[in-house]
Amino acid sequence: MAESRRARVERRTSETSIYLELVLDGQGVSEISTGIPFLDHMLSLMARHGMLDMRLEASGDLEVDQHHTVEDIGLTLGRAIKEALGDKAGINRYGWCLLPMDESLCLTALDMSGRPHLTYRAELPGHLISDYDP
C-alpha cells in the first residue's frame, strides 16, 4: 500500500496563528477549531465528504474581523494540499464537479497546474449567517 499523502503546515502572521495537519487519504475525521463556528462546520463537512483527515487549530483577531482568519486558513489549506500531493503522481491536471445541495448549486472547476487563481461568484446575503459575516 502506498504511503499516505499528508502535510503539516503552520502559518503565523500579526493577525493569525494557524496549525494544520492534513491527510488526503483519510477517513473523513476532523478536529477543527477556528473560533468561527460556521467555518468549523463547513471545513468539517469538507473533511467528511472528501474523506480527508484534518486537524486545524486557528486563532485570529476575530474582534476586528473574521476575514483575516478565513483568508489565512485558505492559504494554509492550499499549501497543505500542495505539499501533500507532492509530485502529483496519478493526479489528473483538470477536474470539475456540479453539486446540488439543498437550496444551492455549486460548480467547481480545478486546474492543478500550480498557478494560483480564484474566481468566486455568489449572491451573498446582506446579513449574518449565525455569527458569520459572508
Side-chain angles (χ1 to χ4, degrees), residues 91-107:
I91 301 293
N92 291 324
R93 179 175 167 179
Y94 305 102
W96 65 275
C97 179
L98 185 61
L99 177 67
M101 285 183 60
D102 301 325
E103 300 85 32
S104 66
L105 181 63
C106 176
L107 169 62

Side-chain angles (χ1 to χ4, degrees), residues 4-89:
S4 185
R5 299 172 297 169
R6 58 182 63 232
R8 181 177 293 143
V9 177
E10 291 187 64
R11 177 178 172 87
R12 296 189 190 286
T13 69
S14 59
E15 289 104 3
T16 64
S17 176
I18 299 168
Y19 176 80
L20 173 65
E21 292 178 16
L22 180 68
V23 179
L24 296 181
D25 306 304
Q27 301 297 311
V29 176
S30 63
E31 186 178 320
I32 298 171
S33 177
T34 68
I36 306 169
F38 179 74
L39 183 59
D40 292 354
H41 173 69
M42 298 307 288
L43 290 169
S44 295
L45 288 175
M46 183 178 97
R48 181 179 313 129
H49 295 295
M51 297 302 291
L52 310 170
D53 290 347
M54 184 185 312
R55 180 170 170 237
L56 173 64
E57 297 172 16
S59 60
D61 58 355
L62 299 179
E63 68 283 353
V64 174
D65 200 332
Q66 297 173 342
H67 82 272
H68 293 137
T69 302
V70 172
E71 286 174 344
D72 286 352
I73 288 170
L75 291 168
T76 304
L77 185 55
R79 193 167 119 209
I81 291 169
K82 181 178 180 181
E83 187 178 308
L85 286 175
D87 66 2
K88 301 181 204 166

